[in-house]
Amino acid sequence: MEFEEAMRILAALEREEVDYVLVGAMAMAAQGLVRATRDLDLFVDPAAENVERLRKALQQVFPQDESIREIRAEDLAGDYPAIQYVPPHGLYGIDILSRLGEAFSFEDIEWEERRVGETKIRVATPGMLIRMKRDTVRPQDGIDARALRERFGLKEE
């Protein structure tokens, strides 16, 4: 995913006052640990008014895409609280989550505000990223958790 497009999306989220937290590889990059990724991972508050603001933000970046209307609060608050939005160009996806199984929900995600240029972004804290990555089966998550512990001098819990 190109940095400039990610920043356009994050700036639109800020303008529309979307309650979200950036997680995944882009959150690691915001914390200073850059690795290649093809997606943007967002935890969002599934409240109807927040999802409406999310749709407005995405519509600013992708004004011709009618499929944005298919992002619904009912889905994010339901049994399968994850949606993947793929922009019309198809170069990457945006994973929109309100809950990750029983392990994490939007309310559980610890975040801090970072400024990238003129844009304020909400990014998961290093400790939160470690907790999200440490018990998964993906080898990359273990590598990421170790890199975060080393970079921020955090001990295993």
Side-chain angles (χ1 to χ4, degrees), residues 1 5 73 77 79 83 90 97 101 111 118 136-139 147 152-153:
M1 171 173 223
E5 188 149 336
D79 291 337
I83 296 170
L97 313 154
W111 59 275
E118 296 298 313
T136 71
V137 297
R138 263 183 13 141
F152 293 97

Side-chain angles (χ1 to χ4, degrees), residues 127-140:
M128 185 78 238
L129 290 167
I130 290 169
R131 286 192 297 281
M132 293 177 82
K133 290 176 171 290
R134 74 171 170 219
D135 294 327
T136 71
V137 297
R138 263 183 13 141
Q140 184 61 54

Side-chain angles (χ1 to χ4, degrees), residues 38-57:
R38 292 186 51 95
D39 65 356
L40 185 68
D41 301 309
L42 303 173
F43 257 83
V44 300
D45 180 345
E49 60 275 3
N50 191 59
V51 175
E52 178 61 27
R53 292 191 301 267
L54 171 66
R55 285 194 302 260
K56 286 180 181 178

Side-chain angles (χ1 to χ4, degrees), residues 23-125:
V23 296
M26 293 298 279
M28 289 186 56
Q31 294 289 6
L33 292 167
V34 178
R35 75 166 168 80
T37 185
R38 292 186 51 95
D39 65 356
L40 185 68
D41 301 309
L42 303 173
F43 257 83
V44 300
D45 180 345
E49 60 275 3
N50 191 59
V51 175
E52 178 61 27
R53 292 191 301 267
L54 171 66
R55 285 194 302 260
K56 286 180 181 178
L58 291 173
Q59 204 71 60
Q60 288 176 23
V61 182
F62 308 105
Q64 305 303 319
D65 191 359
E66 298 292 321
S67 72
I68 290 170
R69 286 188 281 190
E70 297 172 19
I71 300 171
R72 300 174 346 123
E74 296 83 9
D75 294 330
L76 287 168
D79 291 337
Y80 303 100
I83 296 170
Q84 185 177 60
Y85 168 70
V86 178
H89 53 55
L91 298 176
Y92 60 83
I94 301 173
D95 294 331
I96 303 166
L97 313 154
S98 66
R99 195 172 68 246
L100 195 55
E102 298 300 317
F104 302 103
S105 65
F106 174 75
E107 297 82 20
D108 299 325
I109 307 299
E110 296 169 7
W111 59 275
E112 57 196 21
E113 187 174 277
R114 294 282 178 162
R115 185 172 287 280
V116 179
E118 296 298 313
T119 304
K120 290 184 284 185
I121 61 172
R122 293 177 174 188
V123 60
T125 64

